[in-house]
Amino acid sequence: MRRILLALLLCCGLSEGQQAVAPVAGEPANLGAMKARLIQYHACTEPDCYVPQMERQAELASRFLKQSVAAAQPKDKLALVLDIDETSLSNWTVELHDDFGYIHNDSDWCIALHCSPAIPSTLRLFHEATKAGVAVFFITGRPEGQRADTAANLKAEGFDHWQELYLRPADHPKSQTTIEFKSGERAKIVAQGYRIVLNVGDQLSDLQGEPQAEHSVKLPNPFYLIP
Ligand SMILES: [Mg+2]
C-alpha cells in the first residue's frame, strides 16, 4: 500500500496527505457553467443550437399551416395564435444584460423603448399566414397597460396587422395561471367562429389548456420558465 502511495506521489504530483477530488453524487448543474452554455447555445450555428432549432420549429409550423389552408372549406375562418416574448419578439439583449435574472424595471424599460427585435422565423410564419388569409391573434402575458408600446414594437418590426392583440387585464384574478389566461383567450377566438389551426409559443403554458389549437408548436427557450 505504501508503495502504491509513493508511486502516486511520484507520478501525479500529489503531496502526502492530499486526496484526489471526490465528486458530489447528484449535484445539480453549476449555475455559472449553465449561463456560459446558454450564451454559447444562443450564438452557435450547429443543428442543436438555438437559431437552427427555432428555424426548424418554424418550418414545422409552416407545414401545419399549409396543410390546414389547403384542406379548409371556403366558409372556414382560420386563425393562427402567436405568443410575443421569445416567440415573435426577442428580449435576448435584456436577458444577457441582467445575467438571466429577471429584473422587472429593465424589462419594462425595454418594452417602453420598443427595443425587442423580431424573431425572423416567426415573422416569416406571420406573413405566410396573413397572405393565406389566416387571421393572426397575439396572446401575451404582458399587462394591458403595455398595449400601445407592444403594438408599436410589433409594427416597427414588421408584424404589420393582426386580428386581435390580447394582453392580461389589470384586474385578472391573482390566482389565475398562464394556462388559464391563455386558454381563456383562445376560447374567445373559438367563440367568434374561428378554427385555431396553429398555436406557436416558447412556453408549454402558451399551448396547454382547452381549447387547444389543432396544431401546437413549442419553440426552444431554456433561458426562463413561465409555468
Ligand atoms: Mg413567450
Side-chain angles (χ1 to χ4, degrees):
M1 189 69 192
R2 179 81 182 160
R3 276 189 198 165
I4 294 170
L5 180 58
L6 280 171
L8 275 172
L9 296 177
L10 288 171
C11 117
C12 308
L14 294 174
S15 59
E16 196 164 6
Q18 189 176 354
Q19 301 293 314
V21 173
V24 179
E27 183 181 19
N30 180 272
L31 182 59
M34 280 303 300
K35 287 177 183 176
R37 189 173 157 202
L38 290 178
I39 291 168
Q40 169 65 13
Y41 167 72
H42 192 272
C44 62
T45 55
E46 286 79 22
D48 59 351
C49 297
Y50 178 65
V51 172
Q53 287 182 342
M54 290 287 278
E55 292 282 343
R56 281 204 299 280
Q57 292 304 91
E59 283 167 19
L60 181 64
S62 172
R63 282 209 295 279
F64 287 142
L65 188 67
K66 284 187 177 79
Q67 287 168 10
S68 298
V69 169
Q73 301 297 312
K75 64 175 176 42
D76 287 347
K77 294 166 70 179
L78 304 188
L80 163 65
V81 170
L82 292 174
D83 168 57
I84 293 183
D85 294 303
E86 274 52 70
T87 296
S88 303
L89 299 175
S90 169
N91 298 297
W92 177 247
T93 305
V94 182
E95 290 162 39
L96 203 55
H97 179 270
D98 290 346
D99 197 27
F100 300 105
Y102 178 75
I103 298 175
H104 195 71
N105 285 349
D106 287 353
S107 178
D108 284 354
W109 165 84
C110 179
I111 289 169
L113 292 178
H114 315 159
C115 83
S116 302
I119 291 176
S121 46
T122 304
L123 185 58
R124 284 201 303 275
L125 184 68
F126 169 89
H127 285 305
E128 191 183 318
T130 54
K131 272 186 197 156
V134 176
V136 176
F137 294 80
F138 288 103
I139 304 178
T140 176
R142 291 186 184 189
E144 184 62 42
Q146 292 176 332
R147 174 177 291 277
D149 286 325
T150 297
N153 198 158
L154 285 168
K155 285 189 175 170
E157 288 299 315
F159 296 92
D160 43 16
H161 66 280
W162 52 81
Q163 192 68 26
E164 187 60 76
L165 165 60
Y166 293 110
L167 299 98
R168 202 187 273 246
D171 61 351
H172 75 272
K174 294 299 168 213
S175 61
Q176 184 187 56
T177 66
T178 300
I179 292 174
E180 288 168 348
F181 164 63
K182 293 207 164 193
S183 60
E185 301 309 288
R186 290 200 298 278
K188 291 179 188 171
I189 297 169
V190 170
Q192 293 172 52
Y194 286 95
R195 280 176 49 207
I196 304 175
V197 293
L198 180 62
N199 182 12
V200 181
D202 63 288
Q203 306 283 326
L204 286 175
S205 55
D206 296 328
L207 311 173
Q208 294 172 329
E210 298 296 333
Q212 292 215 346
E214 293 172 21
H215 301 95
S216 297
V217 175
K218 165 80 171 63
L219 301 180
N221 183 358
F223 314 116
Y224 61 83
L225 179 69
I226 300 179

